[in-house]
Amino acid sequence: VRRTVFDVDVTWTVNPKLLLGAEFNTGRIDVAGGDGSWTGFLLMAHVQPSEAFGFTARYDQLDDTDDLVFASG
């Protein structure tokens, strides 16, 4: 089994109360019976309205049509 994963992360502090982030992932696996690949990304925003309170919203999407990451069979 041979696995290759490529991951890129980016963050941007817009101001002291707002942080934005993004991530891109892609991977490939080669096994005796064949091979496959997957891609995914994430977008997030963190808002810090006060020193004691903050919240984060994020969206993830994964394209794993070969069922390599979360095998369903």
Side-chain angles (χ1 to χ4, degrees):
V1 176
R2 179 181 173 155
R3 287 188 178 98
T4 305
V5 177
F6 179 71
D7 176 55
V8 176
D9 297 286
V10 176
T11 58
W12 177 34
T13 304
V14 178
N15 59 52
K17 296 185 181 244
L18 177 62
L19 174 76
L20 301 176
E23 180 178 334
F24 173 77
N25 302 283
T26 186
R28 180 169 187 79
I29 186 168
D30 298 311
V31 295
D35 60 6
S37 62
W38 68 91
T39 57
F41 71 91
L42 170 141
L43 301 172
M44 62 80 65
H46 178 79
V47 178
Q48 189 80 35
S50 71
E51 284 189 35
F53 177 76
F55 62 92
T56 302
R58 65 185 258 177
Y59 174 79
D60 297 89
Q61 184 164 332
L62 176 67
D63 179 10
D64 182 27
T65 55
D66 299 315
D67 285 333
L68 297 171
V69 178
F70 299 107
S72 60

